[in-house]
Amino acid sequence: MKISLWHRWMYHAENSPERDAIVHWCADGQSIRWRWRKLVGEAQRAGQYLRSQGVRAGDVCAIIVRHHPRFYPLYMGVVAAGALPAVLPYPNSRLHPDKFIEGLVGMSHRSGLDWILTEASLEPVVSRLATGGKSTIKGVLLPFESDWVNSDPVEPVEEVISSAPCLLQHSSGTTGLQKAVILSHEVVLGHVEAYAEALHMSPDDKIVSWLPLYHDMGMIAAFQTPLALGMTLVQLDPFEWVTAPVLLLHAISEERGTITWLPNFAYNLLADRVHEDELEGVRLDTMRLFVNCSETVRHDSHRRFLERFRHLGVGPGHLSACYAMAETTFAATQTTPGQAPLTIVVDRNHLQDGSVSAASGGPVRECVSSGKPIRGCELTLVDESGNQLPDGKVGEIVIRSRWMFSGYRNNEEASKAALREGHYFTGDYGFTLNGEWFVVGRKKDVIVVAGKNLYPEDIEDAVSAVPGILPGRVVAFGVNNEQTGTEEVCVAAETESGTDAERKALRLAVVRAGMQIDITIAHVYLVSPRWLIKSSAGKLSRRANRQRIFDGELDKDKG
């Protein structure tokens, strides 16, 4: 079999033509089931349509559409045409069209976008990008308005070699600042097979996902993996899921799902926002794995999720975790399926000083393992001088992988900073114990106060527990104080409290929460619900929210 995504899909269409490839799941019950033969046939037609519109091999086709049943053959059709698909976020209703275009302009320059494939409703906005002379976009296509579904299928480009690029994936970040990663057929397929081994996958597994496909967790783990291995994917609408998180559980129950991936915040959201009367008839005992990824894994989130859904069949062995990023295609580590991730309780003060020791009566932190390296990945830990560190020391995680990117597209400066002699410097702090890898925070987000490293995750967890603060809707960051010569800790937190008296009391409670973990919070910014900005991966962006506050969008409040 030839080594390309397209030939792998053709193999499944020929050998399992009537097997479900993708279930386009809809909350109203109008789900559409794509069987392999029909899916690949329509993808061939989509590829022919794209070539007829001028798309050529090597072109980058940005796809900006909502949850649409014909997205899947369109995406596959881009690959069939020899072009590179790049899924981008669909703008939400709160984003001004000018901001959306500004982000696309930045992305078109940095990522080298050639075509925009979108919906008719977005065409008036996106066309400004192609006609304004601010980018290299060749054109805007409206594939869902065409009649390509009725055309005769033709064979796609056959001259596909394993080292040829097959997709463009963006790292997490705000739209205009995302870094573009090009991945080859060989790398994606190799990673998928290695990761499937780590997860003990079989053809009988059924993936259920609400994750957006512009993020590597949604694109590689939930989308490319089942398609490459011939499993079934059940795909929900991300916008619908955010509105009604219980939909994921209904989809798992109805489709008898076995694996799903969730960022840490989703465990809290499901535990807190799903009511018992929404769970009638729901069972989760077909599930093998709920895989925590994308954010720092929190033991409390796992505990709350397990307690909330234990009566539906969820047990400790169903909880899982991995460490992943677009630069390594996806996963670098994975916990052992069927075993709850290892959790250790360490001295928080020692952790801030760069070492790991058992709790001894002072402030503590529960650290959850992200598992061991998957096949083809090697991880090391280094200090600021690049010296390798032993077990029990905190340092930067460095990865060497067979499934790794070769540099950021059109961004030599960022590539040189991240890649050194074939090693990827992740910018993540972590430590190892007996072969298990623990991730404790982002290097760029660490707050340094009087020489001590403070991890914003610890502060955010403490403040989230304050009554009146919306749990999980907190960001902590540092600001230099020139007078003292060190950083001060700032916290921005969402609340529904409105009166001056309520907000004054809440600021004091936030400061006390910091004192309970031996941290002085100098400034407290109370904001309304949904004020805080998220990155494209759905994570609260500390840097963007810090900038927003100091750009004057919120008056400065002191605790």
Side-chain angles (χ1 to χ4, degrees):
M1 194 191 314
K2 296 182 180 179
I3 306 298
S4 78
L5 295 177
W6 177 259
H7 292 99
R8 187 65 66 90
W9 301 334
M10 288 284 288
Y11 174 85
H12 298 313
E14 292 168 1
N15 290 272
S16 307
E18 297 306 312
R19 182 182 175 93
D20 284 342
I22 299 172
V23 178
H24 180 80
W25 201 86
C26 297
D28 61 7
Q30 302 300 310
S31 300
I32 295 174
R33 310 186 86 86
W34 284 101
R35 292 182 170 85
W36 273 107
R37 176 185 290 159
K38 183 178 180 181
L39 177 63
V40 169
E42 189 156 346
Q44 288 177 303
R45 297 182 180 95
Q48 177 178 319
Y49 158 75
L50 293 170
R51 288 194 295 272
S52 73
Q53 299 301 305
V55 175
R56 296 294 175 258
D59 284 355
V60 177
C61 295
I63 305 175
I64 310 175
V65 299
R66 287 170 288 194
H67 189 58
H68 196 290
R70 288 173 70 191
F71 163 85
Y72 317 104
L74 175 63
Y75 181 97
M76 296 165 73
V78 175
V79 177
L84 280 69
V87 182
L88 303 187
Y90 194 90
N92 64 53
S93 58
R94 294 188 295 156
L95 184 63
H96 191 280
D98 290 344
K99 286 288 186 182
F100 173 62
I101 288 296
E102 181 182 328
L104 272 183
V105 169
M107 192 171 285
S108 68
H109 283 297
R110 179 154 290 182
S111 303
L113 308 181
D114 296 298
W115 300 87
I116 303 290
L117 314 184
T118 191
E119 301 173 2
S121 60
L122 203 58
E123 193 268 343
V125 177
V126 175
S127 289
R128 292 162 48 191
L129 181 65
T131 60
K134 296 181 178 180
S135 74
T136 58
I137 297 295
K138 296 177 181 178
V140 176
L141 302 179
L142 306 177
F144 301 150
E145 304 301 316
S146 76
D147 60 355
W148 54 267
V149 69
N150 297 316
S151 63
D152 293 328
V154 296
E155 288 301 314
V157 176
E158 290 287 350
E159 297 77 18
V160 178
I161 59 175
S162 60
S163 59
C166 68
L167 63 87
L168 185 150
Q169 182 70 51
H170 286 94
S171 64
S172 301
T174 54
T175 304
L177 298 177
Q178 290 177 312
K179 297 185 286 291
V181 172
I182 297 288
L183 299 173
S184 70
H185 292 271
E186 181 180 43
V187 164
V188 171
L189 288 172
H191 176 275
V192 161
E193 291 170 354
Y195 190 40
E197 290 175 15
L199 291 174
H200 301 173
M201 280 183 162
S202 78
D204 294 328
D205 274 313
K206 182 177 282 189
I207 309 305
V208 183
S209 177
W210 61 269
L211 296 166
L213 296 176
Y214 55 76
H215 186 258
D216 58 288
M217 182 161 52
M219 172 51 63
I220 302 297
F223 185 74
Q224 296 289 0
T225 297
L227 285 183
L229 301 178
M231 302 168 190
T232 300
L233 164 64
V234 180
Q235 180 67 45
L236 285 69
D237 183 341
F239 287 115
E240 283 189 353
W241 178 82
V242 169
T243 303
V246 73
L247 294 178
L248 175 68
L249 308 184
H250 279 281
I252 289 171
S253 184
E254 291 174 17
E255 295 291 338
R256 301 186 64 79
T258 64
I259 302 176
T260 191
W261 285 264
L262 301 170
N264 193 85
F265 83 87
Y267 290 80
N268 293 357
L269 197 64
L270 286 162
D272 295 341
R273 286 185 47 187
V274 173
H275 302 291
E276 195 61 32
D277 59 5
E278 299 178 288
L279 294 172
E280 184 177 356
V282 171
R283 291 298 302 174
L284 302 177
D285 45 11
T286 62
M287 287 294 289
R288 288 204 305 115
L289 297 171
F290 293 88
V291 187
N292 194 329
C293 187
S294 181
E295 300 181 289
T296 301
V297 181
R298 262 95 158 175
H299 176 66
D300 183 64
S301 300
H302 279 183
R303 179 188 57 77
R304 290 164 60 188
F305 182 83
L306 182 61
E307 290 176 357
R308 179 68 183 84
F309 299 112
R310 189 189 298 271
H311 69 296
L312 300 182
V314 179
H318 296 134
L319 301 179
S320 181
C322 75
Y323 173 51
M325 62 222 74
E327 289 81 355
T328 56
T329 306
F330 181 61
T333 70
Q334 172 62 47
T335 58
T336 303
Q339 299 178 16
L342 175 65
T343 301
I344 60 174
V345 181
V346 303
D347 186 295
R348 190 193 304 270
N349 290 330
H350 289 175
L351 190 69
Q352 291 167 353
D353 290 333
S355 62
V356 180
S357 64
S360 57
V364 302
R365 177 170 177 177
E366 293 179 303
C367 297
V368 182
S369 170
S370 292
K372 298 180 179 181
I374 70 168
R375 176 172 58 82
C377 286
E378 299 176 3
L379 281 69
T380 55
L381 209 63
V382 301
D383 61 19
E384 293 297 325
S385 300
N387 301 310
Q388 191 167 335
L389 295 171
D391 273 14
K393 293 294 183 181
V394 177
E396 182 176 0
I397 300 172
V398 178
I399 301 176
R400 185 183 182 92
S401 171
R402 292 174 59 187
W403 329 122
M404 198 161 68
F405 78 132
S406 58
Y408 297 113
R409 184 177 172 90
N410 299 331
N411 197 334
E412 185 176 355
E413 181 180 353
S415 297
K416 287 182 177 179
L419 280 174
R420 306 172 208 172
E421 299 181 352
H423 292 78
Y424 171 53
F425 285 68
T426 65
D428 290 321
Y429 277 140
F431 64 88
T432 59
L433 283 178
N434 300 320
E436 299 267 352
W437 284 82
F438 297 78
V439 183
V440 297
R442 287 291 291 166
K443 186 176 180 180
K444 67 180 181 181
D445 291 333
V446 167
I447 306 167
V448 183
V449 178
K452 179 177 288 189
N453 290 337
L454 306 183
Y455 297 101
E457 291 87 353
D458 296 338
I459 303 167
E460 291 159 0
D461 286 347
V463 174
S464 285
V466 174
I469 297 297
L470 298 181
R473 304 294 299 178
V474 180
V475 293
F477 53 89
V479 174
N480 277 324
N481 184 321
E482 293 184 3
Q483 189 172 14
T484 61
T486 190
E487 286 191 299
E488 294 179 328
V489 176
C490 303
V491 166
E494 292 184 353
T495 179
E496 294 177 340
S497 300
T499 69
D500 290 343
E502 289 174 337
R503 294 169 77 86
K504 182 178 180 180
L506 198 52
R507 290 189 192 98
L508 291 173
V510 167
V511 172
R512 292 193 189 102
M515 294 171 64
Q516 290 175 3
I517 57 172
D518 292 340
I519 290 173
T520 299
I521 299 176
H523 308 288
V524 178
Y525 306 92
L526 298 180
V527 299
S528 58
R530 302 182 69 191
W531 191 92
L532 294 174
I533 299 172
K534 289 184 176 182
S535 73
S536 64
K539 296 179 283 189
L540 290 174
S541 173
R542 299 184 182 100
R543 180 175 296 183
N545 285 300
R546 178 186 185 280
Q547 190 63 45
R548 189 179 184 189
I549 288 170
F550 289 103
D551 278 347
E553 294 189 40
L554 185 74
D555 289 335
K556 187 175 180 182
D557 295 317
K558 294 187 176 181

